[in-house]
Amino acid sequence: MAYSSTFAFSIPGGTLGIDQFAPDSTLSISDDPDGERWLARRVVLNASIDNGGVIRSEWHPWEDVSIRTWLVPPSTPDSTFHTRIHKITNHSTKHLTAADASFANETEAVRNANSIKKSGTQHYASETAAFTVSNPGVSGVIDLLGDGPAEVRSADVNTNIVFTRTVIPMILTQVKPGEDKWNATRIDGKPSGSSTKPVNDTWLTEWEGQEHSAGTKFSDVAALKAEFPCLA
């Protein structure tokens, strides 16, 4: 997981569903067919940092499920993204759902009996990518292995420690019983005050270009391992 002084972080507002759980900036997992119960990492095992700055760690949400994570830092000082790679080993008899989320971003919403009106925020989601643009900046996630789907979820009110209402871009992945499932995402977080480029309406076009550009996605796990030798 990774946190940001721009987007802050969230804490669960309840235990029923992913919107109450509000799992920003981390991988969370559920063994509940109804999607009500979710877990995030609490106890870290076998943590290490290699010479390239890649952080490797492991955790066990249940005795028969293990998750190894590689957190790959930005390639250059002015990069706005980092890469997360997870290997989920499911020795259980249950189907699992994993959600790898980017930073929670501020949104404005006015609820009435018939609709939710949102202003000041742009949302975008495709099969393999999702992002939001709001006053704090841009938060987004791209599924590097193309499993998807991608969603922008509305977290419960007051789950973020700074913003009253937030939305969270995330990639949802299904893990079958007995499966070793690889999950790889690119997490973008760009503050609106960044000097690299202003946040404006051109971000949708640029994001779509990044999502489909060469080298952004990998055809299979072998190609992913070739790009990231730390996975060996």
Side-chain angles (χ1 to χ4, degrees), residues 23 50 206:
D50 68 16
E206 293 186 13

Side-chain angles (χ1 to χ4, degrees), residues 178-210:
E179 183 179 18
D180 282 340
K181 184 70 173 183
W182 287 84
N183 180 25
T185 55
R186 196 184 85 174
I187 306 296
D188 273 272
K190 179 183 182 300
S192 58
S194 172
S195 61
T196 56
K197 196 162 191 176
V199 173
N200 52 40
D201 291 342
T202 65
W203 263 95
L204 176 57
T205 301
E206 293 186 13
W207 181 272
E208 289 176 323
Q210 293 175 30

Side-chain angles (χ1 to χ4, degrees), residues 7-227:
F7 302 104
F9 64 90
S10 303
I11 57 176
T15 58
L16 296 178
I18 198 168
D19 297 336
Q20 288 189 1
F21 194 58
D24 61 332
S25 311
T26 191
L27 178 80
S28 56
I29 194 162
S30 174
D31 65 348
D32 180 6
D34 297 324
E36 291 188 349
R37 297 188 306 270
W38 289 85
L39 293 177
R41 184 174 64 180
R42 296 181 63 185
V43 178
V44 179
L45 305 173
N46 304 320
S48 63
I49 304 177
D50 68 16
N51 292 333
V54 177
I55 301 174
R56 179 189 179 280
S57 62
E58 184 176 341
W59 65 291
H60 295 191
W62 302 280
E63 290 185 355
D64 46 10
V65 177
S66 65
I67 300 175
R68 291 183 181 179
T69 294
W70 292 262
L71 187 63
V72 183
S75 56
T76 63
D78 59 349
S79 293
T80 61
F81 66 87
H82 65 276
T83 302
R84 292 191 208 140
I85 303 170
H86 311 280
K87 182 184 179 183
I88 304 171
T89 300
N90 182 14
H91 290 304
S92 76
T93 59
K94 296 181 178 180
H95 282 81
L96 308 176
T97 301
D100 202 9
S102 185
F103 305 102
N105 204 356
E106 182 184 24
T107 188
E108 298 175 4
V110 178
R111 293 179 180 266
N112 58 40
N114 300 312
S115 65
I116 299 177
K117 180 182 178 182
K118 295 181 178 178
S119 62
T121 307
Q122 298 180 54
H123 306 304
Y124 166 81
S126 68
E127 282 297 313
T128 57
F131 89 111
T132 70
V133 179
S134 189
N135 291 330
V138 177
S139 170
V141 57
I142 295 177
D143 181 1
L144 300 182
L145 288 172
D147 290 329
E151 295 184 5
V152 177
R153 303 287 305 201
S154 294
D156 267 22
V157 64
N158 292 329
T159 50
N160 191 274
I161 66 168
V162 173
F163 307 115
T164 302
R165 297 184 183 276
T166 58
V167 289
I168 305 175
M170 62 181 65
I171 303 293
L172 299 175
T173 304
Q174 302 301 315
V175 186
K176 299 176 183 177
E179 183 179 18
D180 282 340
K181 184 70 173 183
W182 287 84
N183 180 25
T185 55
R186 196 184 85 174
I187 306 296
D188 273 272
K190 179 183 182 300
S192 58
S194 172
S195 61
T196 56
K197 196 162 191 176
V199 173
N200 52 40
D201 291 342
T202 65
W203 263 95
L204 176 57
T205 301
E206 293 186 13
W207 181 272
E208 289 176 323
Q210 293 175 30
E211 180 188 352
H212 299 292
S213 64
T216 300
K217 295 181 181 178
F218 300 94
S219 57
D220 53 29
V221 174
L224 181 72
K225 290 182 177 180
E227 178 68 19

